[in-house]
Amino acid sequence: MDGDNPQQVLERLARERGDDYAALSRLIGRNAAYIQQFIKRGTPRRLAEEDRRILAEYYGIDEQLLGAPTGKASRKNPFSDDSAAGKMVAVSHYAVNASAGPGALTGEEEELSRIAFPERWLRRLAGGDPARLSIITVSGDSMEPTLSDGDEILVSGDDGADRLRDGIYVLRVDNALMVKRIAMNPANRRFTIKSDNDGYPDWPDCDPDSLEVIGRVVWAGRRLA
């Protein structure tokens, strides 16, 4: 990556990791088009210091590759040590799909692999205990354009039924696992289960006791075409 400008560096890292630009934008707390505009249009001309720091930590690279001033003290690569700043956490990736459609039947949830992330990044992203995070795959198109078929989603089991609020959740209903948007009724604890794709119907006035809340979706990544 030597000689590449920050836009080229970030584009290459995203492509190699299979990260979607909108997900990277959400990671740094920006609007969904922010990273794409930075890479493709050069707007903004340079990343803000905090945005650059988060992305460098996420990818385990020197901040100068993303445009930090020459002579700025480099942050340690979080993959290179076991200090508090560099500690890695392995998140289990399960061989199960959360259907963004009618619902995928599930049996035993077999662990496919474990993917390492910086612990500090996970805590900032999701809060709670990183050991309660898991990765599963989206199946179907009912959550388009937010989530697409084949997207990998990071699910926080710490953010479940007792903290239910508006957002995207993985739910189990009659052994069918699905990923849907929940819209809470402010007058009581009942809610509507919604699909972001207008071609799918909503399920209004749901009782929390009628289903199992697996966890809240806190991050998503996808392979770029």
Side-chain angles (χ1 to χ4, degrees), residues 183-203:
M184 300 297 299
N185 184 334
N188 54 41
R189 289 296 294 166
R190 300 177 78 86
F191 54 84
T192 298
I193 297 176
K194 303 173 68 68
S195 298
D196 285 5
N197 185 336
D198 291 338
Y200 289 78
D202 296 342
W203 302 352

Side-chain angles (χ1 to χ4, degrees), residues 160-209:
D162 58 336
R163 298 175 58 188
L164 204 60
R165 59 197 189 279
D166 289 357
I168 299 176
Y169 286 81
V170 175
L171 311 169
R172 183 180 280 119
V173 183
D174 296 330
N175 204 39
L177 200 67
M178 58 189 68
V179 55
K180 295 290 184 182
R181 186 177 298 279
I182 282 181
M184 300 297 299
N185 184 334
N188 54 41
R189 289 296 294 166
R190 300 177 78 86
F191 54 84
T192 298
I193 297 176
K194 303 173 68 68
S195 298
D196 285 5
N197 185 336
D198 291 338
Y200 289 78
D202 296 342
W203 302 352
D205 198 33
C206 295
D207 183 346
D209 294 334

Side-chain angles (χ1 to χ4, degrees), residues 105-119:
L105 294 179
T106 66
E108 292 297 322
E109 294 172 353
E110 175 189 358
E111 185 180 74
L112 280 178
S113 62
R114 293 189 177 189
I115 302 174
F117 296 92
E119 181 181 30

Side-chain angles (χ1 to χ4, degrees), residues 17-32:
R17 182 80 69 87
D19 287 332
D20 144 75
Y21 293 155
L24 290 177
S25 297
R26 290 193 295 270
L27 171 63
I28 60 175
R30 300 286 188 170
N31 69 73

Side-chain angles (χ1 to χ4, degrees), residues 48-162:
E49 183 174 358
E50 180 65 8
D51 296 344
R52 185 180 65 230
R53 182 187 65 77
I54 293 171
L55 290 167
E57 182 175 290
Y58 174 61
Y59 283 114
I61 63 171
D62 192 310
E63 283 187 51
Q64 290 187 15
L65 292 173
L66 295 179
T70 303
K72 176 181 172 63
S74 298
R75 303 179 65 86
K76 288 187 176 180
N77 183 329
F79 291 87
S80 68
D81 61 53
D82 294 320
S83 66
K87 184 178 179 182
M88 305 296 291
V89 173
V91 177
S92 295
H93 181 195
Y94 289 103
V96 61
N97 289 354
S99 177
L105 294 179
T106 66
E108 292 297 322
E109 294 172 353
E110 175 189 358
E111 185 180 74
L112 280 178
S113 62
R114 293 189 177 189
I115 302 174
F117 296 92
E119 181 181 30
R120 187 167 60 183
W121 179 78
L122 287 176
R123 289 190 182 278
R124 183 173 57 243
L125 178 72
D129 183 0
R132 297 273 292 152
L133 294 168
S134 58
I135 299 170
I136 58 178
T137 304
V138 174
S139 175
D141 66 353
S142 79
M143 287 301 291
E144 290 275 11
T146 309
L147 297 173
S148 300
D149 185 66
D151 284 358
E152 306 292 348
I153 54 176
L154 188 63
V155 182
S156 172
D158 261 349
D159 209 345
D162 58 336

